[in-house]
Amino acid sequence: SSSLTRLTTTKRSLPAPSSTSLTPTPLPSTSPFPMLVLVYGGNGQLGQAVVTAFKTSGATVISADFSPNAAADETVKLTGAMAADAVAVLAALGDRKLDALAPRLHSREQLE
């Protein structure tokens, strides 16, 4: 006879962002080790808030954008050439492994 173990997950909810402000809300930190996060588009309006939120939570943050984000620990300056940008990101990572990746972020205004 086989037995099945039921896994229970706990949902963690983050506070809803304010519609009038992009003030970062610290992310819950339950990890016993520091996280390494890559934020693609880390110097845009929304990307800056994401970088700051991860930094506030104790993460090491790499921002990949066309201009640097001073709040990030490291910056990968993108050129717009996809292959060169991929090489630059991989070089910045070295042998480190990412714990989180924030893809290119757009605010609602940028999408309209």
Side-chain angles (χ1 to χ4, degrees):
S1 117
S2 66
S3 63
L4 298 175
T5 303
R6 183 177 183 163
L7 299 176
T8 305
T9 60
T10 304
K11 277 190 171 179
R12 291 185 288 168
S13 59
L14 297 175
S18 166
S19 61
T20 59
S21 163
L22 287 177
T23 304
T25 301
L27 300 173
S29 178
T30 57
S31 176
F33 59 91
M35 291 179 62
L36 177 61
V37 179
L38 172 65
V39 180
Y40 188 86
N43 200 38
Q45 185 177 6
L46 188 54
Q48 288 177 9
V50 171
V51 167
T52 301
F54 274 112
K55 287 293 300 169
T56 302
S57 300
T60 298
V61 179
I62 302 171
S63 171
D65 206 326
F66 295 102
S67 58
N69 179 334
D73 296 294
E74 301 172 41
T75 295
V76 175
K77 186 163 181 353
L78 301 177
T79 64
M82 195 177 305
D85 290 345
V87 169
V89 168
L90 290 174
L93 289 175
D95 62 352
R96 300 178 293 176
K97 304 288 183 204
L98 287 175
D99 296 301
L101 170 65
R104 182 154 169 78
L105 303 165
H106 297 278
S107 66
R108 180 170 287 156
E109 294 81 22
Q110 290 174 314
L111 294 176
E112 294 175 347

